[in-house]
Amino acid sequence: MSASTAPSHPRVGPDRPQGSAGSARRAADWARRAPLLPALLFTIVVTQLPFVATIVISFMNWNSYYPQDRGFGGVDNYVSVFTNAQLRQAVVNTVVLTVTVVLVSLVLGMLIALLLDRKFAGRGAVRTMMIAPFLVVPIAAALLWKHALFNPNYGLFNGTINAVWKLFGSDSAPQVDWLSTAPKIAIEVSLIWQWTPFMMLILLAGLQSKPADAEEAARMDGATSFQIFRYLTFPHLRQYLELGGLLGAIYIVQNFDAVFTITAGGLGTANLPYTIYQTVFSAHDYGLASAMGVVVVIATIIIATFALRVVSSMFKQEVGR
Amino acid sequence: MAGRHGIHLPTTLPGSTSRVSRRAALGGAAGLGGAAFLSSCSGAGGGGTAGGGGGGGDDKTVNVIMVNNPQMVDLQKLTKDNFTKDTGITVNYTVLPENDVRDKISQEFSSQAGQYDVASISNYEVPFYSKNGWLAPLDDFISGDSGFNQSDIIKPLATALTGEDGKVYAEPFYGESSFLMYRKDVFESKGLTMPDKPTWAEVAAFAAQLDGAMPNMKGIALRGLPGWGQVFAPLTTVVNTFGGTWFDEDWTAKVNAPEFVEATKFYVDLVRAHGENGAPQAGFTECLNGMTQSQVAMWYDATSAAGSLDAEGSPVAGKVGYVAAPVDQTESSGWLYTWAWGVQKASKRQDNAWKFISWASSQKYEELVGAQVGWASVPAGKRNSTYENADYQKAAAPFYKETQTAINAANPANPGVQPRPAPGIQFVAIPEFADLGTQVSQFVSSAIAGQTSVEDALNQGQELATKLVSDKYKK
């Protein structure tokens, strides 16, 4: 603090040094902190400024086709976000998509993790293979589902139906147009295929940190496998389930590739990220798109707060062990 | 933890890092961060001279931003050894996919930052870009460049790239219209004859007869994928010829007017009854696949598709016939689209920009591509001379005449039966159309999937058109 402005009533402010010992300690503290300041500044610039810019733009009327009309618009954009029927539909779609994919992936992931937790020959190879779908680039996975599997002419699903019908000597197998009859489910299935391995990974890690002696003791006491799962394994897995669910939710809320590639947002599948993309790339309305982005970020922060809480509770338990 | 070894999982075991190592890690991160921050500072400190295609103002460069279509990629490859060698001008290219490039160009031109001298724009943008004063008029350059031969440019394209003030604002790189493609062999086996100028009623009748002409074959492929440039490109031409329009002359929306509904119903019913499977997700690429794989007998789409159908190695090469776009009440209904070069008004290097355009859009450049890449890859559809070139005629024998006829028949200023407030055949050349067309296309796609009725879809479209356009333009 500079002392160039002399206060009219000299009094001891809270920021005045309280004697030489304190100041020496403070100097030492700052000497230790000083090298970290550039890093802190860098972190703030890299992580916080873009969002600040987004917030500022979200209060502006800014359409790139009308540069002369750029100006402050107050809460207009936010009013549009909450009154636009299409956006409401996008919010509903996003929630439905996220909840469905997370829950189904968790259930499937848990079942697979329980199977992989047993000892059998080639377990490592199976586990590696199970992880593969999660490593496929999202856009490639979406293309694979759209063309190789769902396509009504040359897709694997209809080809399989054909082959089965041929076995029974029929040439007129029903050829379902999967994407048109169930567009939402089609997208969800492709995402579940990608996210089940992720959930399996987390739950498997949870299972492998489970103390084996408790289970042995339960077996000695005559507990059935189901009882062991119900009263030992599942409670132990709970926090891993929460963690997987929340991490998955954060990512799937932002999913864009599947919606963009498989249906191009048609047939009522447009979710929030896709709608934001459209607002930027077809309407060129940066203000409205930023407002949507801010709303999504706030919602994600709320979810992420829960996630962090879960993780920190796990840390506490690990430390307490 | 016996039996838990040999796990190849990236499991993060909480609490596994000791306090010491954690602090060390933090210190390391801080050091890295500091270093990165310093270097980013020095990078940013460079200011205008850094990256972005050399913003400097020397007179031996030109900055071009363009879409990443194959013809442009060829152009990029041929620049150094031809254009730069002859003129000494270095071209800095920025190449992006279509959506990104549109966004970037609209930002750049609306702010008149002058970073790019030349941009690949289309006849969709030219009308309102020129009205906004974002483009430099090219007339003086054209009259001072005898080798360019502006009169060789196909007329409807030249008109579409001319502003309301009668000045030329862009030069085409390649152009396309739309026409009807059909399998000659299948028509023959069914004893059908395709007229030179079919009507939509005839096409619908053919489609009904051609279902199942070959195993798993459907009558006709038509796009159904949402997007203003996907389903609404062919559909808007159908609307035009059925007597409908997006807007009448005073900007009143006509999306749920009887003609628009009738045209959309016709299109949706035709696709649902005799169209390709999976139509709601079928864009240009999917329809092209359907045609090459003998899954459809007819296809109404861009003239540029013919090059792929008759390419070497295509299973249907030589079996496809081409006739004019089907009509109902109008004389012709083919669309018009072109990727063209526009010069930013704020550019400090307009002379270099013109030299580049004059080379890239020239007849000589087409011959260069023909000799070095192949005549099938020539950026055609913009000059009449292309269609008189014997080499090109040989490479594009089955379809070059019909393509030239289709482009010449297009009339963006008057594509329907009523006067229009803005030019455009398969689009309305106003900034809002991309958003409006895309949003309404999603309703239409749902109608093709049978999830909503055409009436509901177009009533929603009417609301949107009124809200996004009429309310703004009628003031």
Side-chain angles (χ1 to χ4, degrees), chain B residues 230-279:
Chain B
Q230 287 287 5
V231 61
F232 258 126
L235 177 52
T236 303
T237 67
V238 178
V239 168
N240 286 335
T241 195
F242 272 67
T245 179
W246 281 87
F247 300 100
D248 69 8
E249 211 176 4
D250 65 355
W251 288 112
T252 308
K254 291 280 181 192
V255 178
N256 60 357
E259 298 83 6
F260 203 117
V261 175
E262 188 200 352
T264 312
K265 257 210 164 89
F266 171 84
Y267 188 95
V268 169
D269 290 347
L270 182 58
V271 175
R272 282 180 63 83
H274 312 294
E276 73 282 10
N277 293 332

Side-chain angles (χ1 to χ4, degrees), chain B residues 86-106:
Chain B
D86 295 346
T87 60
I89 297 171
T90 316
V91 185
N92 302 314
Y93 285 110
T94 306
V95 188
L96 295 166
E98 186 172 329
N99 279 333
D100 305 329
V101 97
R102 277 184 203 280
D103 192 42
K104 189 108 178 91
I105 291 172
S106 79

Side-chain angles (χ1 to χ4, degrees), chain A residues 187-202:
Chain A
I187 290 175
E188 282 158 8
V189 167
S190 81
L191 285 172
I192 287 166
W193 175 79
Q194 279 227 285
W195 281 93
T196 299
F198 172 82
M199 303 299 181
M200 181 205 81
L201 268 183
I202 289 186

